[in-house]
Amino acid sequence: MDTDGQPLGVTAVVVDRSLDPHPQVPTEADQVHFRFRFDGTDEPSDPAVDACAVDEERVTSGCQTAPSSRASGPADDPRTGDTWLAVEHPSGLTESC
């Protein structure tokens, strides 16, 4: 939906997530690594998806906005991208999306 509530015809999906050391700061605590895919982003509006990490009680421990302009995956699926989310207590996160 755009800011006027009109559908954009865009879908965003978190296709994978894991808890790993960030490659640029491997000595720091693990971070949540989200992979996402956008479909229908031929529009110049640059839609985005908010990826959030939650604990078992569904309390959010952090979110990261991933705009479709960051989806620059490999040639076989250029609509994919990824983002890293640092959270304070990564061991308490739930495995479900």
Side-chain angles (χ1 to χ4, degrees), residues 8 10 38 41-49 65-71:
L8 293 173
V10 175
F38 283 90
T41 58
D42 294 334
E43 300 183 30
S45 62
D46 195 23
V49 63
T65 300
S68 63
S69 60
R70 289 194 40 205

Side-chain angles (χ1 to χ4, degrees), residues 1 14 16 28 34-35 44 52 55 62 64 71 76 81 88 90 94:
M1 300 275 190
V14 174
D16 191 20
E28 293 185 11
F34 289 101
R35 283 189 338 105
C52 299
D55 65 16
Q64 178 74 33
D76 61 337
E88 192 170 328
T94 183

Side-chain angles (χ1 to χ4, degrees), residues 3-97:
T3 56
D4 295 324
Q6 298 300 311
L8 293 173
V10 175
T11 58
V13 178
V14 174
V15 294
D16 191 20
R17 82 254 179 251
S18 60
L19 194 58
D20 299 308
H22 191 288
Q24 294 177 336
V25 285
T27 58
E28 293 185 11
D30 284 348
Q31 295 185 19
V32 180
H33 182 212
F34 289 101
R35 283 189 338 105
F36 56 86
R37 182 180 65 243
F38 283 90
D39 291 314
T41 58
D42 294 334
E43 300 183 30
S45 62
D46 195 23
V49 63
D50 288 330
C52 299
V54 297
D55 65 16
E56 292 177 354
E57 296 173 7
R58 309 291 291 164
V59 175
T60 302
S61 56
C63 292
Q64 178 74 33
T65 300
S68 63
S69 60
R70 289 194 40 205
S72 57
D76 61 337
D77 197 1
R79 301 166 298 166
T80 61
D82 69 333
T83 192
W84 292 85
L85 174 61
V87 293
E88 192 170 328
H89 302 288
S91 61
L93 299 177
T94 183
E95 286 295 315
S96 63
C97 287

